[in-house]
Amino acid sequence: MIVTNSVAPVATASAVTFTVNGTQLLANPGFESGDSGAWTWTTNLTSSKANPFRTNATNPHSGVYYTYLGYWDALDTGRTGTLEQAIAVPTGTGTVTLSYWLQQITGQTTKAALDTLTLRILDGSGNTLKTFRTHSNQDVDHLLWVREVFDLSDLKNQTIKVHADWSEAAANMTAWRLDDLALTVDAGGTPPPSLDLNGDGVVSPLDLLTFA
């Protein structure tokens, strides 16, 4: 990597590397492989939009795929669905964290929570271990993409299911876009990215040279 500024002529810097702390446990976490089989899903939707895996350049949080849970244009009423993936959480030190990005679309005009999406953690038999926030058509804070994070460190050495279930009660319904899930194990102790960008062993103004 070549760097320069108005004082120093030209210098060669060592390669800049960044270490991301955390091991992703989910397969197809951003749904970029579409309906690859990593996620299992059910629905009683009868419309052509029953498959939740969508591709669209403008709608995902990132990439081109996302999942679309629910149906908001009132063609199907009283519908439900689920989405889940089974994971073996390893034992050991560090923390286990679940996060996801969520966006809501709704046509409901009532203040009642008629349509809901609940994120849960199930055990291998399908019993609920944890229930996170239940989202509903009342959640105006989810009209834009919102990230939510939960600690699962107490579930180490267990086989769990990351599970979402949704239900719609009436016309003018609600749908949710879900994307970029992450179930990560942070073993701890990984150093942050170094600020010594020129590799001279010290952090100094020389590290602020303009990269060319």
Side-chain angles (χ1 to χ4, degrees):
M1 183 177 295
I2 306 301
V3 296
T4 185
N5 71 358
S6 60
V7 179
V10 177
T12 302
S14 58
V16 179
T17 59
F18 296 90
T19 301
V20 177
N21 195 5
T23 301
Q24 169 71 274
L25 299 180
L26 292 170
N28 196 19
F31 310 107
E32 295 304 301
S33 299
D35 191 3
S36 65
W39 295 90
T40 59
W41 56 276
T42 65
T43 185
N44 62 2
L45 275 172
T46 59
S47 71
S48 61
K49 295 184 178 181
N51 190 313
F53 301 95
R54 307 287 177 83
T55 177
N56 185 303
T58 59
N59 288 337
H61 173 256
S62 70
V64 295
Y65 270 91
Y66 62 100
T67 54
Y68 187 91
L69 306 178
Y71 199 50
W72 71 280
D73 64 1
L75 294 181
D76 286 309
T77 58
R79 300 304 182 181
T80 62
T82 65
L83 177 78
E84 68 180 28
Q85 183 175 151
I87 297 294
V89 182
T91 188
T93 60
T95 59
V96 181
T97 303
L98 172 70
S99 64
Y100 57 84
W101 288 86
L102 187 71
Q103 182 187 43
Q104 176 183 286
I105 313 162
T106 186
Q108 294 288 8
T109 57
T110 178
K111 293 183 180 180
L114 298 179
D115 311 322
T116 60
L117 169 73
T118 302
L119 276 296
R120 313 175 194 270
I121 297 296
L122 310 181
D123 65 15
S125 300
N127 302 307
T128 299
L129 296 175
K130 291 180 180 287
T131 299
F132 304 129
R133 176 179 175 181
T134 294
H135 309 274
S136 79
N137 53 276
Q138 294 179 312
D139 295 337
V140 295
D141 59 326
H142 281 72
L143 297 180
L144 299 176
W145 284 103
V146 175
R147 183 174 184 257
E148 300 199 346
V149 183
F150 303 95
D151 185 9
L152 303 185
S153 300
D154 58 332
L155 299 181
K156 293 177 184 178
N157 201 30
Q158 297 188 49
T159 296
I160 64 173
K161 295 179 180 179
V162 177
H163 175 95
D165 53 79
W166 58 269
S167 177
E168 297 175 327
N172 303 319
M173 297 180 296
T174 305
W176 297 268
R177 294 185 180 115
L178 185 65
D179 203 0
D180 294 330
L181 285 86
L183 182 60
T184 57
V185 177
D186 178 358
T190 301
S194 175
L195 298 178
D196 178 20
L197 299 181
N198 65 0
D200 64 359
V202 295
V203 176
S204 70
L206 292 178
D207 295 306
L208 301 179
L209 296 174
T210 302
F211 289 94

